Amino acid sequence: METTLTYFAYVLISIALTAWVGRTLHQNGRAFLIDVFANREDLADSVNHLLVVGFYLVNFGYMSLALKLAERVTTLTTAVEALSYKVGLVLVVLGAMHFFNLFVFSRIRRHKKVLEAPRPVAPDMMLPPLPADGPREG
Amino acid sequence: MEPRDLSLVVWFDGDCGLCRRIATWLRAQETIVPVQLVAAQRARVAGCPIGLESLLAQLTVTASDGAVYRGTNAWIVVLWALRNYRALSLRFATPRWRPWAERLFGAIAGIASWTKRRAAR
């Protein structure tokens, strides 16, 4: 009975935590993605949503896999210990996922900044602009 | 902001084996800004206002907006035009990496002129 109650508490806490982190990502990632996708809001929202879905899948998957306790819970103390251990693992996985997401965001953003960068060096001299058709074929 | 129709011309030494190899490699790269490779020996017929002597002394890149880049600057601007090397180009242009870029491209220029002189003997 106590074991089942512990499972129940674990599932509730994990779902709440995952939902909280997922919502945070969804709300705060949006502005970032809109910048990355050159103000294409539809595209940013779509990528944002897809990222959050992946995030939920990985976390709920991990939560289910990690549910089973190795030993029966008999007292309140062991219940708290088991619960804190399992929730701790979920938190660490959530944290790792969160940083991974940030990493992906910043990579996308940096890549875009690089592609838009102007020439990084100043000219050594200036000539009148060349004709638009480029060098003559000789 | 860069002009929308910006393009580059690289004036390489057509009498130098290494330079021709590098030109061949450059032609195969995916570019963000169009890059044309023209042998410096054809500069006069191609309408380049810079003299051959000067073009052979240092790698020269001319941009369609009139900017001229020489030596290490020219290398950095060419890398900047390539999709897969723009990040490297930006790095080479930073104060921290610039001295290494000078050494690297200086060494390439040294090898190029050495092999050219050797082949001429």
Side-chain angles (χ1 to χ4, degrees), chain A residues 114-115 117 119 124-125 127 138, chain B residues 2 65-66 68 70 80 86:
Chain A
V114 163
L115 284 185
R119 281 169 278 184
D124 292 290
M125 54 177 165
L127 294 173
Chain B
E2 294 292 350
D65 61 355
V68 179
R70 315 260 299 149
W80 171 83
R86 180 166 281 191

Side-chain angles (χ1 to χ4, degrees), chain B residues 4-97:
Chain B
R4 198 171 268 281
D5 57 350
L6 182 73
S7 65
L8 303 177
V9 182
V10 179
W11 305 95
F12 68 98
D13 184 351
D15 288 336
C16 144
L18 181 63
C19 311
R20 284 200 306 269
R21 271 179 176 246
I22 294 173
T24 307
W25 176 83
L26 275 171
R27 284 197 183 98
Q29 300 304 307
E30 195 188 338
T31 58
I32 305 176
V33 168
V35 176
Q36 243 182 307
L37 288 122
V38 183
Q41 284 77 7
R42 288 189 41 234
R44 193 199 289 269
V45 279
C48 176
I50 305 167
L52 179 61
E53 284 285 296
S54 174
L55 291 178
L56 293 184
Q58 265 186 312
L59 176 71
T60 303
V61 170
T62 53
S64 55
D65 61 355
V68 179
Y69 302 90
R70 315 260 299 149
T72 302
N73 282 344
W75 281 97
I76 289 176
V77 165
V78 173
L79 290 178
W80 171 83
L82 307 180
R83 181 172 295 279
N84 293 331
Y85 296 90
R86 180 166 281 191
L88 182 69
S89 159
L90 299 182
R91 174 159 298 183
F92 273 149
T94 60
R96 180 159 177 205
W97 286 89

Side-chain angles (χ1 to χ4, degrees), chain A:
Chain A
M1 185 58 198
E2 285 82 356
T3 308
T4 316
L5 275 179
T6 310
Y7 283 154
F8 198 65
Y10 165 75
V11 168
L12 278 183
I13 294 172
S14 304
I15 289 177
L17 282 172
T18 306
W20 172 60
V21 178
R23 277 176 61 92
T24 307
L25 263 177
H26 195 258
Q27 280 166 8
N28 296 295
R30 191 169 179 275
F32 201 84
L33 287 171
I34 287 175
D35 175 55
V36 170
F37 289 109
N39 293 322
R40 291 269 319 266
E41 289 202 17
D42 51 339
L43 199 61
D45 282 334
S46 148
V47 169
N48 196 12
H49 201 74
L50 292 172
L51 272 171
V52 168
V53 168
F55 175 84
Y56 278 135
L57 285 175
V58 170
N59 277 294
F60 286 133
Y62 176 79
M63 195 194 90
S64 309
L65 285 173
L67 175 93
K68 192 176 178 199
L69 288 170
E71 49 205 77
R72 303 290 90 180
V73 169
T74 46
T75 63
L76 188 60
T77 314
T78 49
V80 170
E81 280 170 5
L83 190 59
S84 113
Y85 179 78
K86 292 290 183 186
V87 171
L89 280 181
V90 168
L91 280 173
V92 169
V93 170
L94 277 170
M97 284 288 293
H98 187 64
F99 278 117
F100 176 72
N101 251 298
L102 284 181
F103 172 74
V104 171
F105 277 11
S106 74
R107 260 198 80 109
I108 297 176
R109 187 138 180 266
R110 197 169 54 215
H111 183 66
K112 184 197 164 227
K113 287 258 182 282
V114 163
L115 284 185
E116 286 177 352
R119 281 169 278 184
V121 288
D124 292 290
M125 54 177 165
M126 287 300 286
L127 294 173
L130 289 174
D133 56 341
R136 286 192 292 277
E137 296 298 328

